Amino acid sequence: MSIPRTLSSWLPFLAWPRPSRELLRGEFWAGMTVGLMLVPQGVAYAQLAGMPLVTGMYASLIPMLVAVLWGSSVRLGVGPTALTSLLTGTSLIGLAQPGSAHWVTLAVWLALLSGLLQALLGVVRFGWLLSLVTSPILNGFTQAAALLILMSQLPALLGLTTPWRAFLHDPSWQALDGHAAAFGLGSLALLWLAARWRRSFPAAIVVIALTATLSWATGFADAGGKVVGALPQGLPAPYLPGWLSWDEFSTLVMPVMVITLVSFLETASSAKVDHREGGTQWNENQDLIAHGLAKVSSGLCGAFAVSASFSRSALNLYAGARTGWATLFAFALVLAALLWLLPLLYHVPQSVLAAIVIVAIKGLIQPRGMLSLWRVSRVETATGLLTFAITLLSAPRIYWGVLTGLLVNLSHFIYQRLHPRIIEVGLHPDGTLRDRALWGLGALDEAVLALRMDAALDFASATALEKRVADAFSARPALKHLCLFAQPINRIDVTGVEAFMRLLLFVQGHGGTLYLSGLKLPVQQTLQAAGALEPGPHLLLCRSDGETLQRLGHDPAN
């Protein structure tokens, strides 16, 4: 039975393929693989966000289900992620004590507000706004965030008993818990070796089991070692956060915006791979809605903002997931862990959680990728490096890094629009029109200024075009005519129309003719509606470059 298109657009899961025994077998193992990674990562990322550890499990349960049922990218691993958890934790520093009731309230509001904003962007089809954050900006922010995550986890990994800054100022072996460091560094080595051996191997849950057993056997917790401790079993209860003061709400505005941008850019990176391999079209607005609702559901469970995980999404694809059924099996595993398995995490050393986070973010640290962009675009590379530096320097308010990069990138974009590429063309020996200055070509005619502007004729470029024409006529008294090769001009606004009419009057004042070559129909219709293309001796329209060259006394065939 076919599903009506309108219904499947609102309820995408209705379009899933009918499950078969063969399909469910493959989906089961893919789901188990991702679920076994998600359980320890969820607890570890809750620690990174400064939240009670069990909220990492809450953020791994309902949000995963909401995202897969209402999203267009059903093979993404939605739940707690390193970047979103770091943004949550750093944004709230100074507003409350990590792990306190007020901290949880603030984190829940971050999840609710960023989720509602994200869903709203999807509803009004504003997914294109996310293109404002370019790859170099995201790369620079990600590199800096990964380093900050690494630095934040080193004290727990090494079992430091004093603040990190105090240890750096006065290093002392007595400030290190040797047993905790052994658990952390040993887990780090095992996780790294397992990742090199087989990516689909559930190394995190195996390391959790081994270290929990060893911790219990050696009495690590009884000796004062920091362990996960008792976690409340059962499903999350509905959580309605208390109302904040207006000052607190205003403080959350910037973090909400950045969490919305960064978390969905995480989603976009994985979703594009998912749809490219599946041969389908990505519906970014549908995923905006779904992942916004996932954040809202996480907040209503008393947890923090979620996103699509790079590592878990890649693992899901690598494990052979083909549909959303794999995520449902992962959901079942997390549900079982919440209901029955949490007591097994009691003796897990917190240094092991730090090791899990560090291994999860190691793929984010890729300095060569940023530096290799220098050959492509120095401006964009500099923007990325500036984003990197501001993110590090502004910690814990790391969202300033993204906002600075965004501002610099928009400024560069506006500068380019205000300074379009305008070239004087000459006839190349192969019969094409090319840049005179670049190719060392002669003028088409000593009395003709032949220009091509590779931009729309609008408020941003109109002044530059008029200035180029005026400067050329002033510098070369022999000029009388203007030939505008207009094929690249695909749009014109009111300012552009006014500039065109001034150019026409300018040429008339010199007793010449304005040749207009290859004008696109939408631009021509706008100029005609403004009465700017009235026939006359000072305006000549040519449909092609060849016709224009013939009018100027050149034979394109020769």
Side-chain angles (χ1 to χ4, degrees), residues 297-311:
S297 68
S298 182
L300 294 178
C301 292
F304 48 97
V306 297
S307 182
S309 164
F310 295 124
S311 57

Side-chain angles (χ1 to χ4, degrees), residues 386-416:
L386 179 63
T387 303
F388 173 84
I390 296 298
T391 301
L392 288 179
L393 294 174
S394 63
R397 302 291 184 253
I398 62 174
Y399 48 78
W400 287 113
V402 174
L403 296 176
T404 301
L406 182 60
L407 179 61
V408 171
N409 191 59
L410 288 176
S411 300
H412 179 238
F413 173 77
I414 293 172
Y415 178 85
Q416 288 181 312

Side-chain angles (χ1 to χ4, degrees), residues 104-164:
V104 172
T105 298
L106 291 168
V108 167
W109 273 113
L110 273 179
L112 293 176
L113 294 174
S114 59
L116 290 173
L117 176 59
Q118 196 165 315
L120 178 62
L121 290 175
V123 169
V124 298
R125 299 294 186 262
F126 267 33
W128 56 268
L129 275 176
L130 299 171
S131 301
L132 295 176
V133 181
T134 61
S135 176
I137 294 175
L138 181 62
N139 197 347
F141 175 78
T142 302
Q143 304 286 324
L147 288 178
L148 291 172
I149 292 172
L150 176 62
M151 294 300 294
S152 71
Q153 296 303 299
L154 282 179
L157 180 76
L158 301 176
L160 279 180
T161 57
T162 62
W164 181 239

Side-chain angles (χ1 to χ4, degrees), residues 480-502:
K480 182 179 180 181
H481 309 285
L482 173 62
C483 180
L484 189 59
F485 289 93
Q487 296 95 332
I489 300 176
N490 57 8
R491 187 175 59 83
I492 188 170
D493 64 3
V494 173
T495 305
V497 171
E498 293 173 349
F500 176 83
M501 297 178 75
R502 285 193 295 269

Side-chain angles (χ1 to χ4, degrees), residues 447-522:
V448 178
L449 177 63
L451 297 181
R452 188 187 75 207
M453 183 174 72
D454 298 331
L457 182 54
D458 56 17
F459 71 96
S461 62
T463 300
L465 179 60
E466 289 186 88
K467 185 176 185 303
R468 177 63 186 272
V469 172
D471 289 347
F473 270 74
S474 176
R476 293 154 58 183
L479 289 177
K480 182 179 180 181
H481 309 285
L482 173 62
C483 180
L484 189 59
F485 289 93
Q487 296 95 332
I489 300 176
N490 57 8
R491 187 175 59 83
I492 188 170
D493 64 3
V494 173
T495 305
V497 171
E498 293 173 349
F500 176 83
M501 297 178 75
R502 285 193 295 269
L503 286 175
L504 183 56
L505 291 174
F506 180 84
V507 173
Q508 288 179 5
H510 284 76
T513 300
L514 173 57
Y515 295 84
L516 206 52
S517 175
L519 195 64
K520 284 183 167 59
L521 182 59

Side-chain angles (χ1 to χ4, degrees), residues 229-244:
L231 298 178
Q233 288 180 261
L235 297 176
Y239 184 93
L240 295 177
W243 196 254
L244 303 178

Side-chain angles (χ1 to χ4, degrees), residues 421-425 433-434 450-454 484-485 488:
R421 184 172 184 258
I422 304 174
I423 62 171
E424 184 176 358
V425 298
L433 293 170
R434 302 193 184 184
L451 297 181
R452 188 187 75 207
M453 183 174 72
D454 298 331
L484 189 59
F485 289 93

